[in-house]
Amino acid sequence: MHPKQERQLVILVTGGAGFIGSHTCVALAEAGMQYLILDNFCNSRRSVLDRLARITGAAPAFIEGDVRDVALLQRLFSEHPISAVIHFAGLKAVGESVREPLRYYDNNVAGSLTLLQAMQAAEVRTLVFSSSATVYAESAVQPLREDFPLSATNPYGWSKFMVERMLADLDQAEPGQWRIARLRYFNPVGAHESGLIGEDPQDVPNNLSPYIAQVATGQREALSVYGNDYPTPDGTGVRDYIHVMDLAEGHVAALRYLQTHPGLLTVNLGTGRPASVLDMVRSFERASGRPIPYRIVARRPGDLAQYWADASLAEQLLGWRAQRDLDRMCADLWRWQSGAAQSA
Ligand code: NAD
Ligand code: WQD
């Protein structure tokens, strides 16, 4: 991408109506960057677009469609002055991926391949890719650094691993032509401070924080804590929870970095601050003023005891660091979950 005034940048945001994508659109707007959303709404609602308009003051440019639609992508790149792509579109439920591997490889791997081929044909070679800490092999050594060994234990994780590999091979085949950031997200939590957008799972939440939020509102009776016999400070699982707006701002920082750094960038986007399940429960009780009843149950198969990010490389290269703590994540999540702002 030739260095341009940021206001002229048009960023294609695939999956931009989703949880992280919608928050990243807010961050792009705040950075003065223009964006175009492509989403097929398989895991999001159209109402997100109206809420983005309320938050940013401008209706988002939007195309409904599938990232696997070759003809649509060709039209999209020929009709819009796209300078870069942030690729969020994909499926992300680990358990579902074990039951439906081909659906995950089709959407996440074939979808990414179709997008890359369309970018190559259109000579748009700046990409930010939604990778995941799930690509790291289990490690007794923590925190995780970007040069640690990679592996996966489920089709979802392998799909991220494969796309990371595709991107590395592409950079090697066309050295200096591409500007690619592989962003390895840890555990995104929270919501925009307006309470107008947030994580909106379409069925029973797999992840901890939306489940806790639904216990707080009475939608769920109690939290099942998957094991308290791990070798961790309080026996429950330890993760690196990062506010979704910090994550969003990390994407803007990555885009800015790519404007002056061709090649392949791989960074963790985490806080570097480990937190347990019970830490999250206590923080959410403070934020909501509501008790979160829980019961200890058996470990969830496939869960690791603990992992968190070494976040120093993103700070060193991008000048980005997560700013918001667990209490802020829970306060913003509660405002979204309690629906106060949504109903206003
Ligand atoms: P999400 O499901 O909220 O958002 C994904 C969006 O992509 C949805 O709006 C969905 O409708 C859309 N989509 C899916 N397949 C599509 C397709 N083929 N064509 C067009 N649109 C499509 O998920 P999210 O939490 O915002 O995650 C975004 C990305 O980040 C995903 O790639 C996910 O794997 C990755 N990621 C998420 C987490 C997490 O914990 N949320 C962690 C690490 C990485
Ligand atoms: C966090 C902690 C659970 C729910 C997953 C995906 C990963 C990435 C992020 C996409 C663990 C415990 C959870 C519950 C619980 N997604 N827990 N009761 O498993 O770290 O990561 O989301 O890339 O790929 O694997 O997140 O929120 O499911 O679990 O006790 O009802 O909370 O055991 O310790 P996880 P999570």
Side-chain angles (χ1 to χ4, degrees):
M1 168 171 55
H2 302 298
K4 283 184 174 178
Q5 292 303 322
E6 286 183 348
R7 59 185 166 75
Q8 298 168 10
L9 280 177
V10 177
I11 314 294
L12 173 64
V13 184
T14 77
F19 172 41
I20 304 171
S22 57
H23 287 80
T24 302
C25 287
V26 172
L28 290 171
E30 286 171 350
M33 295 182 183
Q34 295 178 34
Y35 62 88
L36 169 63
I37 292 172
L38 171 66
D39 205 303
N40 67 1
F41 291 110
C42 72
N43 198 39
S44 52
R45 302 175 201 274
R46 285 168 178 72
S47 57
V48 165
L49 302 174
D50 299 331
R51 292 164 189 233
L52 280 176
R54 286 173 63 185
I55 293 169
T56 64
F62 166 74
I63 290 174
E64 180 171 358
D66 196 302
V67 76
R68 293 165 290 185
D69 182 337
V70 177
L72 172 65
L73 288 183
Q74 284 167 348
R75 265 200 323 277
L76 198 152
F77 280 105
S78 63
E79 292 170 3
H80 299 269
I82 292 164
S83 305
V85 179
I86 307 180
H87 181 33
F88 293 106
L91 302 175
K92 60 165 180 175
V94 168
E96 186 179 62
S97 79
V98 174
R99 296 189 296 275
E100 302 178 65
L102 297 186
R103 181 170 166 236
Y104 270 68
Y105 288 130
D106 180 40
N107 203 339
N108 294 2
V109 181
S112 298
L113 178 59
T114 305
L115 174 66
L116 288 167
Q117 288 168 327
M119 290 177 69
Q120 191 175 49
E123 297 190 355
V124 175
R125 290 194 170 88
T126 300
L127 173 78
V128 176
F129 172 61
S130 297
S131 191
S132 166
T134 205
V135 302
Y136 286 111
E138 184 168 1
S139 170
V141 177
Q142 294 294 330
L144 296 173
R145 275 203 329 268
E146 288 82 358
D147 60 354
F148 273 26
L150 305 183
S151 184
T153 57
N154 56 73
Y156 167 72
W158 283 120
S159 77
K160 292 299 180 181
F161 178 95
M162 290 178 196
V163 177
E164 282 210 4
R165 184 68 259 163
M166 284 159 57
L167 296 174
D169 291 343
L170 189 54
D171 176 61
Q172 205 160 12
E174 301 180 16
Q177 300 292 314
W178 289 81
R179 298 162 189 265
I180 296 170
R182 302 183 300 189
L183 304 183
R184 292 176 181 163
Y185 311 161
F186 279 68
N187 289 60
V189 168
H192 185 261
E193 60 189 14
S194 65
L196 292 173
I197 55 174
E199 192 168 11
D200 189 9
Q202 309 299 305
D203 46 27
V204 179
N206 299 306
N207 293 136
L208 179 65
S209 60
Y211 199 100
I212 288 177
Q214 290 189 8
V215 171
T217 56
Q219 285 169 270
R220 308 283 166 198
E221 181 211 339
L223 170 72
S224 297
V225 175
Y226 296 144
N228 67 346
D229 58 349
Y230 285 106
T232 61
D234 65 18
T236 65
V238 166
R239 297 290 185 272
D240 187 326
Y241 298 102
I242 177 171
H243 196 293
V244 64
M245 281 311 298
D246 278 325
L247 198 58
E249 289 158 10
H251 287 71
V252 174
L255 276 175
R256 287 182 169 139
Y257 176 87
L258 292 180
Q259 289 183 44
T260 53
H261 295 81
L264 181 69
L265 166 75
T266 304
V267 288
N268 292 331
L269 291 189
T271 65
R273 294 190 299 271
S276 73
V277 174
L278 295 184
D279 290 333
M280 179 69 84
V281 168
R282 279 187 286 273
S283 180
F284 203 87
E285 287 180 329
R286 288 194 293 273
S288 63
R290 308 241 172 128
I292 304 294
Y294 66 84
R295 51 178 168 256
I296 306 295
V297 300
R299 293 181 178 188
R300 180 171 62 178
D303 271 0
L304 302 180
Q306 57 182 352
Y307 58 87
W308 65 95
D310 177 330
S312 57
L313 189 60
E315 182 166 10
Q316 179 196 329
L317 296 181
L318 307 184
W320 169 91
R321 184 159 47 91
Q323 304 293 320
R324 299 159 175 94
D325 64 10
L326 203 58
D327 283 354
R328 174 71 188 277
M329 291 178 219
C330 291
D332 289 344
L333 174 55
W334 175 238
R335 192 175 308 109
W336 155 252
Q337 194 66 44
S338 57
Q342 294 171 62
S343 54

